[in-house]
């Protein structure tokens, strides 16, 4: 992704695109614009004072990626991928293992937050809202200060159609709905709930001052300050302001929402993000503004002085920024040409520059597609060589990790990855940036309000499973004990060597539409054919014996192992000798040994069963002799 830092012609093109996008409203441009999310990472506490003197966070809203300005135009032109429709498994976040499969299946949107990723909010397909977890500072909004591992319904938010949600380090939670209403609750020591008070909010309450007449489309939270972006591009901020992060021109805390103006006066803001005690905004012509704490250069202004009002990032002149996100004390920005820029703290390599030096101004970050060395230039092969573009960036203010997704769907991560410093973008096997935070962030929070909505589609495996025994699509039938099983000849040939040989042109079976099976029972043969479609077997141990016979006859070794596992799992005193006989008959040595040991360990009981006395003479003699050698008959 190495791109020329800038021919003037390219900059003019970029500028023209941004200006062409100016008529967009913030509501249309911001759908899914990313900002950072989360609560202060416990693991980051040791470097908190070095990286930032406060704390802050913001999760970004809707189900799309983080974009602004002219992204809609570019996406229509095919230059950017739309947000991945991949179904993200919320079960990758440990806290969701508390829920039942039915509860997991009901989730439409979710957010994990908190200093230890121990709080979660989720929205169901019926638009009901639930919360569970540790409940620090009443951040669950359940009306009490009790933790809960059982989800509790937040009645005040049910049916509200939440579109954007963010949280701070207290934590406090701020969200907006599709109707543009803003609600907040949780920690409020610095008036970050915007209600003019400093007492904790135990339930969601609407934020009214200066926002009732506005339709808010996105919210973002720092450690203890909050921001809200309206559909007409006005930006409001409130809460903790020790470093100027509210943008009011002073360091006095702001108890209620106040419009951020100064350099933003007359400009339409389309994207917002918060670091711990810093704030960033993108306007509709692609310009970037920052204010608040700047001790690590996270505002990108070329210095490390705090800013009490918005200040333009001059180093990005001529670059049209579409998406911006903030980490704990670093910032990432994505241009309309798919170029990634980073600046700020770099203690863990979170900028991806290959070192751990802070950057006071934006630097272009290169994604390595391959670490092959060019023999002539001794240089890495870069993404740009393959015309790759970055289409989504991700960071979270509670962590020091960064992630990006490219146009081809490759996901990279760098920074503090489970305690290890990764100083260059590392290509992962993930399909979305959310997985990076579930598996490698500390704490394992979500960097945005995660949508698990996806297009209805079936995988190849799911499609095969659905078409098993389907009369509509089958081209072959087996008749077993008078019952039909509908299958597909091609699937059987692909999955089983026995059928591949059978369905040769010189075999009679290749010409038949119905094949008679009389060697095996209907449950056994159906289970075998279903296994070829699903890789699974669901039979009681007694029927698994018959399937073991079939697997032996058809030389299906993996199926034999599955049958043996089923039999071992279902062995009892009553069936132990029957299963032992079957294991000997089908030459299943491992199963034979297992059944033999079971019989010896329960010798008194199994010798009183009918199966024991029905065992044939040679096998019975062999069992007695072997058991005697094991000392089974000693007093």
């Amino acid at each position: 992704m190495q791109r020329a830092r800038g021919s003037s012609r390219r900059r003019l093109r970029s500028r023209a695109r941004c200006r062409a996008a100016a008529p967009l409203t913030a509501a249309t441009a911001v759908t899914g614009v990313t900002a950072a999310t989360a609560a202060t990472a416990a693991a980051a506490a040791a470097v908190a004072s070095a990286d930032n003197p406060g704390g802050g966070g913001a999760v970004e809203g809707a189900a799309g990626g983080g974009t602004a300005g002219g992204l809609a135009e570019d996406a229509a032109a095919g230059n950017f991928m739309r947000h991945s429709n991949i179904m993200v498994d919320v079960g990758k976040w440990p806290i969701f293992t508390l829920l039942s499969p039915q509860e997991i299946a009901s989730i439409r949107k979710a957010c994990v937050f908190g200093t230890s990723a121990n709080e979660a909010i989720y929205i169901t397909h019926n638009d009901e809202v639930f919360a569970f977890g540790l409940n620090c500072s009443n951040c669950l909004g359940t009306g009490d200060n009790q933790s809960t591992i059982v989800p509790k319904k937040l009645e005040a938010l049910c049916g509200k159609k939440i579109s954007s949600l963010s949280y701070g380090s207290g934590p406090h939670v701020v969200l907006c709905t599709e109707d543009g209403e803003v609600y907040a609750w949780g920690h409020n020591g610095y008036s970050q709930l915007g209600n003019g008070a400093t007492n904790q909010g135990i339930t969601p309450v609407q934020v009214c001052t200066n926002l009732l007449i506005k339709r808010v489309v996105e919210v973002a939270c720092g450690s203890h300050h909050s921001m809200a972006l309206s559909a007409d591009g006005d930006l409001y901020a409130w809460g903790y302001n020790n470093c100027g992060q509210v943008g009011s021109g002073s360091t006095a805390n702001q108890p209620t929402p106040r419009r951020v103006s100064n350099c933003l006066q007359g400009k339409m803001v389309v994207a917002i993000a918060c670091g711990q005690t810093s704030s960033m905004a993108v306007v509709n012509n692609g310009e970037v503004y920052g204010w608040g704490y700047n001790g690590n250069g996270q505002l990108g202004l070329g210095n490390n002085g705090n800013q009490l009002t918005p200040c333009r990032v001059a180093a990005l002149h001529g670059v049209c920024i579409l998406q911006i996100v903030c980490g704990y004390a670093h910032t990432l920005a994505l241009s309309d040409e798919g170029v990634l820029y980073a600046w700020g703290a770099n203690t863990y390599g979170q900028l991806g520059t290959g070192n751990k030096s802070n950057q006071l101004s934006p630097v272009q970050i290169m994604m390595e597609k391959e670490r092959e060395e060019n023999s002539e230039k001794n240089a890495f092969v870069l993404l740009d060589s393959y015309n790759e573009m970055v289409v989504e960036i991700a960071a979270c203010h509670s962590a020091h990790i960064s992630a990006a997704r490219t146009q081809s769907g490759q996901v990279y991560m760098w920074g503090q990855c489970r305690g290890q410093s990764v100083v260059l973008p590392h290509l992962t096997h993930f399909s979305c940036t959310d997985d990076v935070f579930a598996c490698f962030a500390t704490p394992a929070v979500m960097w945005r309000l995660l949508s698990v909505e996806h297009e209805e589609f079936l995988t190849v495996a799911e499609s095969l499973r659905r078409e098993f025994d389907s009369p509509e699509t089958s081209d072959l039938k087996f008749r077993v004990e008078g019952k039909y099983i509908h299958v597909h000849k091609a699937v059987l040939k692909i999955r089983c060597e026995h059928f591949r040989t059978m369905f040769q042109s010189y075999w009679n079976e290749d010409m038949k539409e119905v094949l008679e099976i009389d060697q095996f029972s209907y449950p056994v043969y159906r289970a075998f054919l279903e296994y070829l479609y699903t890789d699974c077997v669901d039979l009681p141990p007694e029927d698994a014996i018959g399937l073991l016979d079939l697997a032996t006859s058809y030389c299906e070794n993996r199926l034999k192992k599955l049958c043996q596992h089923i039999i071992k799992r279902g062995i009892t005193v009553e069936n132990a000798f029957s299963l032992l006989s079957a294991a000997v008959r089908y030459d299943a040595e491992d199963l034979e040994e297992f059944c033999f040991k079971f019989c010896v360990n329960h010798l008194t009981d199994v010798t009183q069963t009918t199966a024991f006395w029905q065992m044939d003479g040679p096998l019975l003699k062999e069992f007695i002799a072997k058991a005697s050698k094991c000392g089974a008959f000693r007093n």
Side-chain angles (χ1 to χ4, degrees):
M1 188 182 64
Q2 174 67 33
R3 301 189 183 271
R5 187 148 169 102
S7 83
S8 57
R9 184 173 301 173
R10 171 172 291 182
R11 290 183 177 180
L12 286 173
R13 281 203 312 269
S14 175
R15 197 48 133 189
R17 275 197 297 271
C18 288
R19 285 174 179 160
L24 288 174
T25 66
T28 58
V30 169
T31 304
V33 177
T34 342
T37 58
T40 308
V47 295
S49 59
D51 280 350
N52 229 342
V59 172
E60 184 250 328
T67 60
L71 179 57
E73 178 184 358
D74 281 339
N79 292 336
F80 279 76
M81 289 199 316
R82 300 188 189 281
H83 177 61
S84 171
N85 285 317
I86 294 168
M87 178 74 164
V88 180
D89 179 14
V90 295
K92 291 180 179 179
W93 282 268
I95 191 170
F96 278 105
T97 60
L98 291 169
L99 303 190
S100 68
Q102 293 75 20
E103 288 170 319
I104 292 291
S106 73
I107 295 175
R108 182 169 60 89
K109 293 182 180 181
C111 187
V112 175
F113 61 101
T115 55
S116 301
N118 276 339
E119 281 95 8
I121 294 174
Y122 67 89
I123 306 157
T124 70
H125 292 285
N126 295 328
D127 208 30
E128 294 181 320
V129 182
F130 293 87
F132 64 106
L134 197 56
N135 202 21
C136 292
S137 303
N138 291 287
C139 65
L140 296 183
T142 54
D144 57 50
N145 59 2
Q146 302 299 310
S147 63
T148 175
I149 60 173
V150 178
K152 293 184 178 180
K153 186 183 293 187
L154 304 184
E155 296 286 357
L157 298 177
C158 293
K160 293 292 186 179
K161 299 187 183 303
I162 297 170
S163 59
S164 178
L165 182 147
S166 184
Y167 54 87
S169 299
H172 73 288
V173 180
V174 179
L175 62 81
C176 68
T177 69
E178 291 182 4
D179 292 333
E181 297 176 339
V182 177
Y183 292 83
W185 67 94
H187 191 273
N188 195 34
Y190 304 94
S191 299
Q192 57 264 50
L193 301 186
N195 56 13
T198 55
N199 55 304
Q200 291 183 4
I202 62 174
T203 58
V205 175
Q206 186 173 356
V207 182
C208 298
T209 304
N210 293 331
L211 296 183
L212 281 180
I213 60 173
K214 293 289 184 178
R215 187 170 78 86
V216 173
V217 294
E218 185 185 3
V219 293
C221 291
S223 175
H224 301 293
H225 76 287
S226 308
M227 298 202 299
L229 176 62
S230 70
D232 55 7
D234 288 341
L235 177 59
Y236 294 81
W238 61 95
Y240 198 32
N241 195 35
N242 64 324
C243 300
Q245 56 266 46
V246 170
S248 62
S250 74
T251 56
N253 293 346
Q254 178 61 40
T256 57
R258 175 190 181 279
R259 185 179 175 189
V260 182
S261 53
N262 300 95
C263 289
L264 294 181
Q265 186 70 37
K267 297 183 182 294
M268 177 182 289
V269 177
V270 294
I272 56 176
C274 291
Q276 286 278 297
T277 48
S278 60
S279 304
M280 303 297 297
V282 179
V283 298
N284 65 338
N285 65 356
E287 294 176 349
V288 178
Y289 292 81
W291 60 100
Y293 183 67
N294 194 34
N296 301 100
Q298 53 262 61
L299 301 185
L301 305 177
N303 58 57
N304 58 5
N306 296 351
Q307 294 293 324
L308 304 185
T309 57
C311 185
R312 183 182 170 192
V313 181
L316 292 176
H317 175 74
V319 178
C320 181
I321 295 301
L322 299 178
Q323 182 192 356
I324 193 160
V325 295
C326 293
Y328 188 92
H330 75 286
T331 307
L332 304 179
L334 179 63
S335 80
D336 64 338
E337 293 184 324
V339 180
L340 172 60
Y341 297 89
W343 59 93
N346 200 24
T347 308
Y348 301 95
Q350 59 264 47
L351 299 185
T353 56
N355 57 53
K356 296 183 179 181
S357 300
N358 292 357
Q359 295 292 333
L360 304 182
S361 298
V363 292
Q364 188 174 319
I365 305 303
M366 297 175 291
M367 303 282 156
E368 296 168 16
K369 183 153 186 169
E370 297 178 1
R371 286 181 175 257
E372 295 179 1
E373 287 195 10
N374 184 304
S375 58
E376 295 181 358
K377 298 181 179 179
N378 193 31
F380 288 129
V381 179
L382 301 175
L383 279 175
D384 190 57
S385 303
Y386 297 83
N387 296 317
E388 274 279 63
M389 293 194 302
V390 174
V391 296
E392 180 179 83
I393 53 177
C396 171
H397 79 75
S398 68
H400 306 274
I401 191 171
S402 304
R405 180 168 55 88
T406 68
Q407 190 174 33
S408 63
Q410 292 180 316
V411 174
Y412 292 79
M413 69 178 186
W414 61 97
Q416 189 183 39
C417 302
R418 296 205 117 189
Q420 181 177 352
S421 295
V422 179
V423 298
L424 284 170
H426 174 75
L427 178 61
T428 72
H429 298 291
F430 297 131
S431 57
C432 60
T433 55
D434 305 281
D435 287 345
V436 171
F437 289 82
C439 300
F440 284 93
T442 304
V445 294
M446 292 182 181
W447 70 276
R448 59 178 167 189
L449 178 62
L450 179 67
S451 172
V452 294
E453 293 176 309
H454 68 298
E455 292 178 346
E456 291 297 328
F457 73 96
L458 296 176
T459 64
V460 173
E462 291 168 338
S463 297
L464 283 176
R465 183 187 299 270
R466 188 175 68 171
E467 294 307 316
F468 170 67
D469 201 14
S470 171
E472 290 80 8
T473 61
S474 68
D475 57 1
L476 178 67
K477 291 186 288 187
F478 285 96
R479 186 161 63 189
V480 189
E481 297 179 346
K483 300 177 183 178
Y484 288 103
I485 307 171
H486 299 82
V487 293
H488 306 79
K489 192 179 295 185
V491 174
L492 302 189
K493 290 169 68 175
I494 291 171
R495 292 281 288 146
C496 179
E497 183 64 33
H498 171 80
F499 289 122
R500 187 179 298 113
T501 303
M502 175 186 292
F503 297 129
Q504 301 293 334
S505 58
Y506 48 84
W507 281 54
N508 291 334
E509 284 82 355
D510 189 50
M511 305 299 294
K512 296 180 179 179
E513 294 183 358
V514 179
L515 296 180
E516 297 279 351
I517 300 296
D518 53 17
Q519 310 99 299
F520 305 101
S521 69
Y522 173 81
V524 166
Y525 212 75
R526 178 183 172 83
F528 167 59
L529 294 175
E530 188 171 10
Y531 161 78
L532 297 180
Y533 280 75
T534 65
D535 272 331
C536 299
V537 176
D538 184 18
L539 280 177
E542 292 73 21
D543 285 333
I545 294 175
L547 188 56
L548 178 62
D549 182 19
L550 185 154
T552 303
S553 300
Y554 285 14
C555 300
E556 289 286 334
N557 292 329
R558 182 176 179 275
L559 182 57
K560 285 181 64 175
K561 293 179 180 178
L562 286 176
C563 292
Q564 292 180 44
H565 178 71
I566 292 172
I567 293 169
K568 289 178 181 179
R569 192 175 56 194
I571 193 170
T572 65
V573 168
E574 293 297 326
N575 65 16
F577 270 104
S578 298
L579 299 181
L580 176 62
S581 300
V584 173
R585 186 163 61 251
Y586 302 130
D587 195 27
E589 295 181 0
D590 181 62
L591 177 62
E592 178 185 347
E593 185 65 21
F594 177 86
C595 293
F596 172 77
K597 290 181 178 179
F598 183 91
C599 291
V600 169
N601 291 335
H602 302 81
L603 189 60
T604 301
D605 292 329
V606 297
T607 54
Q608 298 177 24
T609 64
T610 303
F612 177 81
W613 295 107
Q614 290 178 343
M615 186 182 297
D616 61 80
L619 183 59
L620 181 58
K621 290 179 181 178
E622 182 180 347
F623 172 77
I624 292 174
K626 187 175 180 181
S628 178
K629 291 180 181 179
C630 293
F633 302 111
R634 294 175 184 171
N635 291 328

